[in-house]
Amino acid sequence: MATIAELENIASQVRRDIVRMVNGCSSGHPGGSLGCTDLMTALYFEVLDSKPENFTMEGKGEDMFFLSNGHISPVWYSVLSRRGFFPVSSLSTFRSLGSPLQGHPTPKYKLPGIRVASGSLGQGLSVGIGAALAKKMNGCGHLIYTLHGDGELQEGQIWEGAMFAGGNKLDNLISIIDYNNAQIDGTVDNVLGLGNLKDKFLAFGWEVLEMQGNDMKDCLRGLNEAKGLTKKGKPVVILMHTLMGFGVDFMQGLNTWHGAAPNDEQRDNALSQLKETLGDY
Amino acid sequence: MKKYTILGNKDTRSGFGDGLLEAGKRNSEVVALCADLTESVKMTAFKEAFPERFVQVGIAEANMVSMAAGMALSGKVAFYSSFAAFATGRVYDQIRQSVAYSNTNVKICGSHSGITLGEDGATHQILEDIGLMRMIPNIIVINPCDYNQTKQATIAIAEHKGPVYLRFGRPKVPVFISEDTPFEIGKALMINEGKDVTIIATGHLVWEAIVAGEILAEQGIDAEIINIHTIKPLDTEAILRSVEKTGCVVSCEEHQYNGGLNDSIAQLLARKNPKPMEYIGIDDMFGESGKPEKLMEKFGLKAENIVEAVKTVIKRK
């Protein structure tokens, strides 16, 4: 078991990777990536029962993770590589011609860790539900995890999925919402408010947890609590409170960093705030 | 003209239902998803035989498509079905991302396709689905012509790994392909060898092409008739070989002129061997309510229309 300090060290390196990847190709989505770094680190290094060296598409006998908000691919690629799914050196190819690290994730180039394409929002919950059903049919006791943006919840398909999972008591599913109240056109509250999100999920028949997504200790608490609530007749959702761009002071809390790349000066400023712990790629 | 006997009248959707049941018996990984149309799309027998492998999704097609993708990547052979309008057009983006681009083993099964859906009218009569599906990379597109061929196609696609769109219909139509006729994905079926014109047909219009062939034979015109059940990948060799022999083509489908089988053939001929060609199909219009037979007449999809088109195209040689 990793200590909180060890996980925080990994997260710091992941944040460096994100900044460098996005700067390196002058495009990509740093905001949500930085906000979800602590969660993704906790998930992959501590919670998820996965097989980095022996990745299989079908995921039998292991937990499976689906990134529904595919634009935060930088954090996923970094965490997957740091966890050993593929060489860390691949991160330098992000978004470049011929790279399996496409702008948005895809299984097309057989990048270990990726099972389905995402980018067009709202589909990942349904994919996860399908995988969760398959696990039940196969008698596999492992869990399915999905991650979504809060703005993504404006997509109608999410609620089709939420209704299905609740109505069918799909209790091997943990969905996490990156509740940073930021999307491209402004705050989620201003663009199209989500109302009482907790009550919405409760009404759809889900267990609802909240956690502080930029606090490693609380990430572990939340994820472990969620695991403890599975197999009890309900899907579980975690409303994860984060700040877009967390860890880089000039990005933090600003929706303008959703899909903007830092220039070289901004990169250097950002890197000066993030300790290099595992060696840059 | 080779003689075809009507072996009965059956709906192609029942061929799908019986094929699905058979596929389910042969492979325990076959699962079926449905959006509140179980009996309409003939999934009832599968549901009763394998209740643990049947998923009732409710009226939520987008969720159904992506769920099917999630099941497929987990090792299942995922068949989902709805009316073709809702199985394709309504969920285009889900098909594009979760199914085609992700190359998941999902079978998109569209029932009640085309004008012959009949009385429900244009909202449900999709005439664009072949075009929509064939435009996306990775998807195989199949439109079988009768009950037997649909049943065989259903069994065949269960054994093929990858996304497939299978299109079939609602009304009872003649069964004329024998049960033992081999079905091979991507392989054209020679219905009748001839020399004066090539008639290419898919789906319900194959029978109309046969009737047209009989009328033409009486008038001294020797038509070669080819059944293209797999629109993508197209059996280009069979088509080019025939057209080289006959020198002209009439292509027939229950679909818009734009984007379907007819356009596929025109595209092929334009690039490889341009020849006079006529379309039997629907020219940029929505359908309407009515009996299937009456609609076929009104929209010019009958044997008589094929006969006229053949005469026109032969003059253009």
Side-chain angles (χ1 to χ4, degrees), chain A residues 57-58 64 106-107 115-120 123 126-127 129-131 133-134 137-138 157 160-161 164, chain B residues 29 31 52-53 55-57 60-63 66-67 70-71 73-76 93-94 97-98 101-102:
Chain A
M57 183 59 85
E58 297 185 359
M64 294 163 88
T106 174
R115 294 189 168 95
V116 76
S118 57
S120 176
Q123 299 182 26
S126 307
V127 173
I129 289 169
L133 276 178
M137 285 179 182
N138 293 340
Q157 186 178 349
E160 292 184 5
F164 181 93
Chain B
E29 298 291 1
V31 297
E52 72 290 353
R53 287 196 262 147
V55 185
Q56 173 59 267
V57 181
E61 293 83 6
N63 188 40
S66 304
M67 273 176 59
M71 299 183 85
L73 64 85
S74 304
K76 303 296 175 192
D93 186 51
Q94 284 75 19
Q97 175 168 284
S98 299
Y101 184 40
S102 297

mmCIF file of all heavy atoms in Angstrom, chain A residues 57-58 64 106-107 115-120 123 126-127 129-131 133-134 137-138 157 160-161 164, chain B residues 29 31 52-53 55-57 60-63 66-67 70-71 73-76 93-94 97-98 101-102:
data_model
loop_
_atom_site.group_PDB
_atom_site.id
_atom_site.type_symbol
_atom_site.label_atom_id
_atom_site.label_comp_id
_atom_site.label_asym_id
_atom_site.label_seq_id
_atom_site.Cartn_x
_atom_site.Cartn_y
_atom_site.Cartn_z
ATOM 1 N N MET A 57 -8.307 -6.472 -23.488
ATOM 2 C CA MET A 57 -9.482 -5.690 -23.836
ATOM 3 C C MET A 57 -10.679 -6.131 -23.003
ATOM 4 O O MET A 57 -11.451 -5.310 -22.512
ATOM 5 C CB MET A 57 -9.772 -5.887 -25.333
ATOM 6 C CG MET A 57 -10.920 -5.080 -25.849
ATOM 7 S SD MET A 57 -10.723 -3.311 -25.627
ATOM 8 C CE MET A 57 -9.786 -2.897 -27.086
ATOM 9 N N GLU A 58 -10.835 -7.448 -22.846
ATOM 10 C CA GLU A 58 -12.042 -7.976 -22.200
ATOM 11 C C GLU A 58 -12.069 -7.737 -20.691
ATOM 12 O O GLU A 58 -13.128 -7.771 -20.077
ATOM 13 C CB GLU A 58 -12.182 -9.470 -22.512
ATOM 14 C CG GLU A 58 -12.366 -9.703 -24.007
ATOM 15 C CD GLU A 58 -12.633 -11.155 -24.370
ATOM 16 O OE1 GLU A 58 -12.662 -11.999 -23.447
ATOM 17 O OE2 GLU A 58 -12.819 -11.436 -25.554
ATOM 18 N N MET A 64 -12.399 -2.533 -14.364
ATOM 19 C CA MET A 64 -12.253 -1.809 -15.633
ATOM 20 C C MET A 64 -12.615 -0.345 -15.421
ATOM 21 O O MET A 64 -13.538 -0.028 -14.671
ATOM 22 C CB MET A 64 -13.179 -2.415 -16.701
ATOM 23 C CG MET A 64 -12.808 -3.841 -17.096
ATOM 24 S SD MET A 64 -14.156 -4.684 -17.962
ATOM 25 C CE MET A 64 -13.845 -4.209 -19.658
ATOM 26 N N THR A 106 -8.558 6.315 -27.958
ATOM 27 C CA THR A 106 -9.142 5.328 -28.858
ATOM 28 C C THR A 106 -8.404 4.004 -28.703
ATOM 29 O O THR A 106 -7.199 3.996 -28.445
ATOM 30 C CB THR A 106 -9.036 5.785 -30.327
ATOM 31 O OG1 THR A 106 -9.483 4.719 -31.180
ATOM 32 C CG2 THR A 106 -7.597 6.120 -30.718
ATOM 33 N N PRO A 107 -9.124 2.901 -28.875
ATOM 34 C CA PRO A 107 -8.448 1.599 -28.866
ATOM 35 C C PRO A 107 -7.823 1.255 -30.216
ATOM 36 O O PRO A 107 -7.174 0.228 -30.359
ATOM 37 C CB PRO A 107 -9.589 0.621 -28.542
ATOM 38 C CG PRO A 107 -10.816 1.281 -29.073
ATOM 39 C CD PRO A 107 -10.590 2.774 -28.957
ATOM 40 N N ARG A 115 -10.024 0.980 -23.873
ATOM 41 C CA ARG A 115 -10.927 -0.056 -24.385
ATOM 42 C C ARG A 115 -11.989 0.469 -25.337
ATOM 43 O O ARG A 115 -12.594 -0.299 -26.073
ATOM 44 C CB ARG A 115 -11.599 -0.782 -23.225
ATOM 45 C CG ARG A 115 -10.633 -1.586 -22.374
ATOM 46 C CD ARG A 115 -11.364 -2.455 -21.364
ATOM 47 N NE ARG A 115 -10.463 -3.409 -20.751
ATOM 48 C CZ ARG A 115 -9.827 -3.217 -19.587
ATOM 49 N NH1 ARG A 115 -10.011 -2.092 -18.921
ATOM 50 N NH2 ARG A 115 -9.025 -4.132 -19.101
ATOM 51 N N VAL A 116 -12.254 1.769 -25.271
ATOM 52 C CA VAL A 116 -13.293 2.318 -26.146
ATOM 53 C C VAL A 116 -12.935 3.772 -26.429
ATOM 54 O O VAL A 116 -12.228 4.404 -25.635
ATOM 55 C CB VAL A 116 -14.686 2.201 -25.480
ATOM 56 C CG1 VAL A 116 -14.872 3.256 -24.389
ATOM 57 C CG2 VAL A 116 -15.824 2.273 -26.487
ATOM 58 N N ALA A 117 -13.397 4.273 -27.552
ATOM 59 C CA ALA A 117 -13.137 5.672 -27.877
ATOM 60 C C ALA A 117 -14.064 6.572 -27.068
ATOM 61 O O ALA A 117 -15.212 6.226 -26.805
ATOM 62 C CB ALA A 117 -13.345 5.910 -29.366
ATOM 63 N N SER A 118 -13.551 7.734 -26.695
ATOM 64 C CA SER A 118 -14.409 8.741 -26.068
ATOM 65 C C SER A 118 -13.939 10.106 -26.512
ATOM 66 O O SER A 118 -12.798 10.270 -26.965
ATOM 67 C CB SER A 118 -14.390 8.614 -24.543
ATOM 68 O OG SER A 118 -13.079 8.724 -24.034
ATOM 69 N N GLY A 119 -14.804 11.061 -26.405
ATOM 70 C CA GLY A 119 -14.505 12.397 -26.904
ATOM 71 C C GLY A 119 -15.836 13.080 -27.153
ATOM 72 O O GLY A 119 -16.117 14.160 -26.630
ATOM 73 N N SER A 120 -16.675 12.424 -27.935
ATOM 74 C CA SER A 120 -18.064 12.832 -28.027
ATOM 75 C C SER A 120 -18.687 12.455 -26.684
ATOM 76 O O SER A 120 -18.688 11.282 -26.285
ATOM 77 C CB SER A 120 -18.743 12.085 -29.176
ATOM 78 O OG SER A 120 -20.112 12.402 -29.205
ATOM 79 N N GLN A 123 -21.266 9.166 -23.606
ATOM 80 C CA GLN A 123 -21.405 7.751 -23.960
ATOM 81 C C GLN A 123 -20.762 6.797 -22.964
ATOM 82 O O GLN A 123 -21.101 5.626 -22.897
ATOM 83 C CB GLN A 123 -20.818 7.499 -25.360
ATOM 84 C CG GLN A 123 -21.555 8.304 -26.441
ATOM 85 C CD GLN A 123 -21.046 8.044 -27.855
ATOM 86 O OE1 GLN A 123 -20.506 6.991 -28.149
ATOM 87 N NE2 GLN A 123 -21.227 9.021 -28.728
ATOM 88 N N SER A 126 -22.872 4.665 -20.447
ATOM 89 C CA SER A 126 -23.554 3.533 -21.082
ATOM 90 C C SER A 126 -22.579 2.399 -21.380
ATOM 91 O O SER A 126 -22.904 1.223 -21.186
ATOM 92 C CB SER A 126 -24.215 3.985 -22.383
ATOM 93 O OG SER A 126 -25.047 5.098 -22.171
ATOM 94 N N VAL A 127 -21.389 2.759 -21.853
ATOM 95 C CA VAL A 127 -20.377 1.734 -22.133
ATOM 96 C C VAL A 127 -20.044 0.988 -20.830
ATOM 97 O O VAL A 127 -19.976 -0.243 -20.785
ATOM 98 C CB VAL A 127 -19.112 2.350 -22.755
ATOM 99 C CG1 VAL A 127 -18.004 1.309 -22.875
ATOM 100 C CG2 VAL A 127 -19.419 2.935 -24.131
ATOM 101 N N ILE A 129 -21.899 0.676 -18.226
ATOM 102 C CA ILE A 129 -23.051 -0.150 -17.842
ATOM 103 C C ILE A 129 -23.026 -1.474 -18.603
ATOM 104 O O ILE A 129 -23.258 -2.542 -18.028
ATOM 105 C CB ILE A 129 -24.368 0.626 -18.104
ATOM 106 C CG1 ILE A 129 -24.514 1.758 -17.082
ATOM 107 C CG2 ILE A 129 -25.580 -0.310 -18.044
ATOM 108 C CD1 ILE A 129 -25.626 2.748 -17.417
ATOM 109 N N GLY A 130 -22.724 -1.384 -19.905
ATOM 110 C CA GLY A 130 -22.631 -2.619 -20.692
ATOM 111 C C GLY A 130 -21.557 -3.548 -20.141
ATOM 112 O O GLY A 130 -21.755 -4.762 -20.006
ATOM 113 N N ALA A 131 -20.414 -2.966 -19.799
ATOM 114 C CA ALA A 131 -19.319 -3.774 -19.244
ATOM 115 C C ALA A 131 -19.710 -4.346 -17.884
ATOM 116 O O ALA A 131 -19.362 -5.487 -17.549
ATOM 117 C CB ALA A 131 -18.053 -2.920 -19.138
ATOM 118 N N LEU A 133 -22.741 -5.085 -16.904
ATOM 119 C CA LEU A 133 -23.684 -6.191 -17.161
ATOM 120 C C LEU A 133 -22.935 -7.447 -17.586
ATOM 121 O O LEU A 133 -23.245 -8.561 -17.144
ATOM 122 C CB LEU A 133 -24.656 -5.807 -18.274
ATOM 123 C CG LEU A 133 -25.891 -5.007 -17.925
ATOM 124 C CD1 LEU A 133 -26.672 -4.718 -19.195
ATOM 125 C CD2 LEU A 133 -26.766 -5.746 -16.921
ATOM 126 N N ALA A 134 -21.941 -7.256 -18.469
ATOM 127 C CA ALA A 134 -21.155 -8.402 -18.937
ATOM 128 C C ALA A 134 -20.448 -9.062 -17.754
ATOM 129 O O ALA A 134 -20.382 -10.297 -17.662
ATOM 130 C CB ALA A 134 -20.148 -7.959 -19.996
ATOM 131 N N MET A 137 -22.949 -11.149 -16.000
ATOM 132 C CA MET A 137 -23.253 -12.358 -16.789
ATOM 133 C C MET A 137 -22.127 -13.379 -16.663
ATOM 134 O O MET A 137 -22.373 -14.578 -16.658
ATOM 135 C CB MET A 137 -23.424 -11.998 -18.270
ATOM 136 C CG MET A 137 -24.720 -11.309 -18.586
ATOM 137 S SD MET A 137 -24.785 -10.909 -20.358
ATOM 138 C CE MET A 137 -26.365 -10.052 -20.422
ATOM 139 N N ASN A 138 -20.881 -12.868 -16.584
ATOM 140 C CA ASN A 138 -19.723 -13.765 -16.513
ATOM 141 C C ASN A 138 -19.435 -14.243 -15.091
ATOM 142 O O ASN A 138 -18.491 -15.002 -14.872
ATOM 143 C CB ASN A 138 -18.472 -13.055 -17.051
ATOM 144 C CG ASN A 138 -18.568 -12.776 -18.543
ATOM 145 O OD1 ASN A 138 -19.356 -13.408 -19.239
ATOM 146 N ND2 ASN A 138 -17.790 -11.840 -19.032
ATOM 147 N N GLN A 157 -27.973 11.375 -22.853
ATOM 148 C CA GLN A 157 -27.657 9.939 -22.750
ATOM 149 C C GLN A 157 -27.206 9.559 -21.342
ATOM 150 O O GLN A 157 -27.427 8.433 -20.890
ATOM 151 C CB GLN A 157 -26.569 9.566 -23.772
ATOM 152 C CG GLN A 157 -26.312 8.059 -23.816
ATOM 153 C CD GLN A 157 -25.271 7.673 -24.856
ATOM 154 O OE1 GLN A 157 -24.871 8.485 -25.684
ATOM 155 N NE2 GLN A 157 -24.844 6.430 -24.817
ATOM 156 N N GLU A 160 -30.223 8.622 -19.510
ATOM 157 C CA GLU A 160 -30.710 7.303 -19.944
ATOM 158 C C GLU A 160 -29.937 6.222 -19.191
ATOM 159 O O GLU A 160 -30.509 5.247 -18.703
ATOM 160 C CB GLU A 160 -30.494 7.101 -21.455
ATOM 161 C CG GLU A 160 -31.347 7.975 -22.365
ATOM 162 C CD GLU A 160 -31.165 7.664 -23.857
ATOM 163 O OE1 GLU A 160 -30.437 6.706 -24.222
ATOM 164 O OE2 GLU A 160 -31.762 8.379 -24.660
ATOM 165 N N GLY A 161 -28.625 6.411 -19.136
ATOM 166 C CA GLY A 161 -27.775 5.440 -18.443
ATOM 167 C C GLY A 161 -28.063 5.412 -16.952
ATOM 168 O O GLY A 161 -28.153 4.352 -16.330
ATOM 169 N N PHE A 164 -31.189 3.535 -16.328
ATOM 170 C CA PHE A 164 -31.018 2.085 -16.510
ATOM 171 C C PHE A 164 -30.280 1.470 -15.320
ATOM 172 O O PHE A 164 -30.700 0.458 -14.761
ATOM 173 C CB PHE A 164 -30.249 1.779 -17.802
ATOM 174 C CG PHE A 164 -30.080 0.298 -18.037
ATOM 175 C CD1 PHE A 164 -31.002 -0.396 -18.806
ATOM 176 C CD2 PHE A 164 -29.042 -0.410 -17.449
ATOM 177 C CE1 PHE A 164 -30.885 -1.765 -18.998
ATOM 178 C CE2 PHE A 164 -28.912 -1.781 -17.625
ATOM 179 C CZ PHE A 164 -29.834 -2.461 -18.404
ATOM 180 N N GLU B 29 -21.876 -16.585 -25.916
ATOM 181 C CA GLU B 29 -21.507 -15.177 -25.723
ATOM 182 C C GLU B 29 -22.464 -14.227 -26.447
ATOM 183 O O GLU B 29 -22.364 -13.007 -26.306
ATOM 184 C CB GLU B 29 -20.069 -14.921 -26.215
ATOM 185 C CG GLU B 29 -18.983 -15.690 -25.487
ATOM 186 C CD GLU B 29 -18.765 -15.230 -24.042
ATOM 187 O OE1 GLU B 29 -19.464 -14.309 -23.568
ATOM 188 O OE2 GLU B 29 -17.881 -15.812 -23.381
ATOM 189 N N VAL B 31 -25.440 -11.989 -26.987
ATOM 190 C CA VAL B 31 -26.431 -11.310 -26.153
ATOM 191 C C VAL B 31 -27.302 -10.429 -27.042
ATOM 192 O O VAL B 31 -26.906 -10.079 -28.155
ATOM 193 C CB VAL B 31 -25.764 -10.435 -25.060
ATOM 194 C CG1 VAL B 31 -24.943 -11.288 -24.100
ATOM 195 C CG2 VAL B 31 -24.905 -9.333 -25.667
ATOM 196 N N GLU B 52 -31.272 -14.752 -19.445
ATOM 197 C CA GLU B 52 -30.110 -14.134 -18.774
ATOM 198 C C GLU B 52 -29.209 -13.420 -19.768
ATOM 199 O O GLU B 52 -28.320 -12.674 -19.366
ATOM 200 C CB GLU B 52 -29.334 -15.206 -17.991
ATOM 201 C CG GLU B 52 -28.537 -16.202 -18.821
ATOM 202 C CD GLU B 52 -29.370 -17.209 -19.622
ATOM 203 O OE1 GLU B 52 -30.618 -17.265 -19.457
ATOM 204 O OE2 GLU B 52 -28.785 -17.934 -20.452
ATOM 205 N N ARG B 53 -29.447 -13.630 -21.059
ATOM 206 C CA ARG B 53 -28.628 -12.967 -22.078
ATOM 207 C C ARG B 53 -29.415 -11.921 -22.857
ATOM 208 O O ARG B 53 -28.968 -11.419 -23.877
ATOM 209 C CB ARG B 53 -28.061 -14.014 -23.048
ATOM 210 C CG ARG B 53 -26.961 -14.855 -22.435
ATOM 211 C CD ARG B 53 -26.209 -15.574 -23.520
ATOM 212 N NE ARG B 53 -26.654 -16.947 -23.695
ATOM 213 C CZ ARG B 53 -26.664 -17.582 -24.867
ATOM 214 N NH1 ARG B 53 -26.287 -16.966 -25.965
ATOM 215 N NH2 ARG B 53 -27.050 -18.840 -24.929
ATOM 216 N N VAL B 55 -31.335 -8.209 -22.737
ATOM 217 C CA VAL B 55 -31.369 -6.978 -21.948
ATOM 218 C C VAL B 55 -32.465 -6.052 -22.478
ATOM 219 O O VAL B 55 -32.419 -5.612 -23.630
ATOM 220 C CB VAL B 55 -30.012 -6.238 -22.002
ATOM 221 C CG1 VAL B 55 -30.039 -5.026 -21.079
ATOM 222 C CG2 VAL B 55 -28.868 -7.164 -21.618
ATOM 223 N N GLN B 56 -33.432 -5.781 -21.629
ATOM 224 C CA GLN B 56 -34.469 -4.804 -21.965
ATOM 225 C C GLN B 56 -33.959 -3.434 -21.523
ATOM 226 O O GLN B 56 -33.816 -3.180 -20.334
ATOM 227 C CB GLN B 56 -35.767 -5.149 -21.232
ATOM 228 C CG GLN B 56 -36.864 -4.116 -21.372
ATOM 229 C CD GLN B 56 -37.282 -3.855 -22.818
ATOM 230 O OE1 GLN B 56 -36.775 -2.944 -23.479
ATOM 231 N NE2 GLN B 56 -38.197 -4.675 -23.322
ATOM 232 N N VAL B 57 -33.686 -2.568 -22.487
ATOM 233 C CA VAL B 57 -33.071 -1.280 -22.169
ATOM 234 C C VAL B 57 -34.117 -0.193 -21.913
ATOM 235 O O VAL B 57 -33.840 0.813 -21.266
ATOM 236 C CB VAL B 57 -32.124 -0.844 -23.314
ATOM 237 C CG1 VAL B 57 -31.452 0.478 -23.005
ATOM 238 C CG2 VAL B 57 -31.046 -1.909 -23.544
ATOM 239 N N ALA B 60 -34.582 3.946 -24.933
ATOM 240 C CA ALA B 60 -33.366 4.740 -24.744
ATOM 241 C C ALA B 60 -32.299 4.176 -25.668
ATOM 242 O O ALA B 60 -31.381 3.476 -25.256
ATOM 243 C CB ALA B 60 -32.925 4.674 -23.284
ATOM 244 N N GLU B 61 -32.449 4.489 -26.952
ATOM 245 C CA GLU B 61 -31.602 3.846 -27.954
ATOM 246 C C GLU B 61 -30.131 4.235 -27.827
ATOM 247 O O GLU B 61 -29.245 3.411 -28.046
ATOM 248 C CB GLU B 61 -32.116 4.162 -29.364
ATOM 249 C CG GLU B 61 -33.469 3.542 -29.693
ATOM 250 C CD GLU B 61 -34.644 4.355 -29.175
ATOM 251 O OE1 GLU B 61 -34.416 5.464 -28.650
ATOM 252 O OE2 GLU B 61 -35.796 3.886 -29.288
ATOM 253 N N ALA B 62 -29.864 5.496 -27.484
ATOM 254 C CA ALA B 62 -28.466 5.919 -27.374
ATOM 255 C C ALA B 62 -27.763 5.086 -26.305
ATOM 256 O O ALA B 62 -26.657 4.573 -26.509
ATOM 257 C CB ALA B 62 -28.388 7.409 -27.036
ATOM 258 N N ASN B 63 -28.433 4.951 -25.171
ATOM 259 C CA ASN B 63 -27.879 4.131 -24.095
ATOM 260 C C ASN B 63 -27.679 2.692 -24.569
ATOM 261 O O ASN B 63 -26.662 2.063 -24.282
ATOM 262 C CB ASN B 63 -28.832 4.179 -22.894
ATOM 263 C CG ASN B 63 -28.268 3.513 -21.660
ATOM 264 O OD1 ASN B 63 -27.091 3.641 -21.353
ATOM 265 N ND2 ASN B 63 -29.109 2.782 -20.944
ATOM 266 N N SER B 66 -24.421 2.262 -26.857
ATOM 267 C CA SER B 66 -23.151 2.304 -26.127
ATOM 268 C C SER B 66 -23.056 1.148 -25.132
ATOM 269 O O SER B 66 -21.963 0.634 -24.881
ATOM 270 C CB SER B 66 -22.989 3.650 -25.420
ATOM 271 O OG SER B 66 -23.088 4.712 -26.347
ATOM 272 N N MET B 67 -24.190 0.740 -24.573
ATOM 273 C CA MET B 67 -24.171 -0.451 -23.711
ATOM 274 C C MET B 67 -23.731 -1.677 -24.504
ATOM 275 O O MET B 67 -22.935 -2.501 -24.025
ATOM 276 C CB MET B 67 -25.577 -0.717 -23.135
ATOM 277 C CG MET B 67 -25.866 0.024 -21.843
ATOM 278 S SD MET B 67 -27.577 -0.253 -21.289
ATOM 279 C CE MET B 67 -27.620 -2.014 -21.108
ATOM 280 N N GLY B 70 -20.112 -1.671 -24.756
ATOM 281 C CA GLY B 70 -19.474 -2.080 -23.500
ATOM 282 C C GLY B 70 -19.525 -3.587 -23.295
ATOM 283 O O GLY B 70 -18.571 -4.200 -22.797
ATOM 284 N N MET B 71 -20.633 -4.188 -23.687
ATOM 285 C CA MET B 71 -20.750 -5.646 -23.575
ATOM 286 C C MET B 71 -19.839 -6.327 -24.588
ATOM 287 O O MET B 71 -19.183 -7.333 -24.288
ATOM 288 C CB MET B 71 -22.207 -6.078 -23.782
ATOM 289 C CG MET B 71 -23.144 -5.489 -22.741
ATOM 290 S SD MET B 71 -24.847 -6.047 -22.916
ATOM 291 C CE MET B 71 -24.752 -7.583 -22.005
ATOM 292 N N LEU B 73 -17.018 -5.198 -26.001
ATOM 293 C CA LEU B 73 -15.583 -5.149 -25.696
ATOM 294 C C LEU B 73 -15.240 -6.072 -24.532
ATOM 295 O O LEU B 73 -14.085 -6.466 -24.353
ATOM 296 C CB LEU B 73 -15.118 -3.702 -25.452
ATOM 297 C CG LEU B 73 -15.680 -2.920 -24.273
ATOM 298 C CD1 LEU B 73 -14.910 -3.213 -23.011
ATOM 299 C CD2 LEU B 73 -15.641 -1.424 -24.576
ATOM 300 N N SER B 74 -16.260 -6.442 -23.757
ATOM 301 C CA SER B 74 -16.066 -7.392 -22.659
ATOM 302 C C SER B 74 -16.117 -8.846 -23.136
ATOM 303 O O SER B 74 -16.072 -9.763 -22.320
ATOM 304 C CB SER B 74 -17.138 -7.174 -21.588
ATOM 305 O OG SER B 74 -17.127 -5.849 -21.123
ATOM 306 N N GLY B 75 -16.279 -9.047 -24.428
ATOM 307 C CA GLY B 75 -16.239 -10.402 -24.972
ATOM 308 C C GLY B 75 -17.557 -10.925 -25.501
ATOM 309 O O GLY B 75 -17.637 -12.043 -26.015
ATOM 310 N N LYS B 76 -18.617 -10.120 -25.380
ATOM 311 C CA LYS B 76 -19.922 -10.580 -25.864
ATOM 312 C C LYS B 76 -20.073 -10.272 -27.364
ATOM 313 O O LYS B 76 -19.431 -9.371 -27.892
ATOM 314 C CB LYS B 76 -21.054 -9.879 -25.104
ATOM 315 C CG LYS B 76 -21.008 -10.054 -23.587
ATOM 316 C CD LYS B 76 -21.185 -11.510 -23.202
ATOM 317 C CE LYS B 76 -21.018 -11.734 -21.713
ATOM 318 N NZ LYS B 76 -20.903 -13.177 -21.392
ATOM 319 N N ASP B 93 -24.157 9.108 -33.779
ATOM 320 C CA ASP B 93 -22.904 9.425 -33.096
ATOM 321 C C ASP B 93 -22.449 8.293 -32.176
ATOM 322 O O ASP B 93 -21.258 8.015 -32.063
ATOM 323 C CB ASP B 93 -23.068 10.718 -32.290
ATOM 324 C CG ASP B 93 -21.761 11.175 -31.688
ATOM 325 O OD1 ASP B 93 -20.783 11.266 -32.449
ATOM 326 O OD2 ASP B 93 -21.711 11.416 -30.475
ATOM 327 N N GLN B 94 -23.416 7.639 -31.529
ATOM 328 C CA GLN B 94 -23.050 6.496 -30.676
ATOM 329 C C GLN B 94 -22.464 5.378 -31.535
ATOM 330 O O GLN B 94 -21.492 4.723 -31.139
ATOM 331 C CB GLN B 94 -24.278 5.975 -29.910
ATOM 332 C CG GLN B 94 -24.704 6.838 -28.733
ATOM 333 C CD GLN B 94 -25.413 8.114 -29.143
ATOM 334 O OE1 GLN B 94 -25.905 8.238 -30.263
ATOM 335 N NE2 GLN B 94 -25.475 9.076 -28.242
ATOM 336 N N GLN B 97 -18.808 6.496 -32.688
ATOM 337 C CA GLN B 97 -17.730 6.487 -31.696
ATOM 338 C C GLN B 97 -17.606 5.162 -30.933
ATOM 339 O O GLN B 97 -16.520 4.597 -30.828
ATOM 340 C CB GLN B 97 -17.937 7.629 -30.690
ATOM 341 C CG GLN B 97 -16.913 7.623 -29.538
ATOM 342 C CD GLN B 97 -16.944 8.894 -28.715
ATOM 343 O OE1 GLN B 97 -16.440 9.917 -29.137
ATOM 344 N NE2 GLN B 97 -17.553 8.843 -27.540
ATOM 345 N N SER B 98 -18.741 4.692 -30.375
ATOM 346 C CA SER B 98 -18.660 3.515 -29.489
ATOM 347 C C SER B 98 -18.569 2.208 -30.275
ATOM 348 O O SER B 98 -18.051 1.215 -29.770
ATOM 349 C CB SER B 98 -19.887 3.424 -28.568
ATOM 350 O OG SER B 98 -20.009 4.531 -27.729
ATOM 351 N N TYR B 101 -15.673 3.351 -34.657
ATOM 352 C CA TYR B 101 -14.299 3.804 -34.377
ATOM 353 C C TYR B 101 -13.660 2.895 -33.324
ATOM 354 O O TYR B 101 -12.468 2.580 -33.401
ATOM 355 C CB TYR B 101 -14.337 5.255 -33.906
ATOM 356 C CG TYR B 101 -12.996 5.907 -33.655
ATOM 357 C CD1 TYR B 101 -11.909 5.683 -34.491
ATOM 358 C CD2 TYR B 101 -12.824 6.773 -32.578
ATOM 359 C CE1 TYR B 101 -10.686 6.298 -34.252
ATOM 360 C CE2 TYR B 101 -11.605 7.395 -32.337
ATOM 361 C CZ TYR B 101 -10.535 7.154 -33.172
ATOM 362 O OH TYR B 101 -9.333 7.766 -32.929
ATOM 363 N N SER B 102 -14.457 2.444 -32.366
ATOM 364 C CA SER B 102 -13.925 1.549 -31.328
ATOM 365 C C SER B 102 -13.857 0.108 -31.822
ATOM 366 O O SER B 102 -13.339 -0.757 -31.113
ATOM 367 C CB SER B 102 -14.782 1.643 -30.065
ATOM 368 O OG SER B 102 -14.727 2.940 -29.518
#
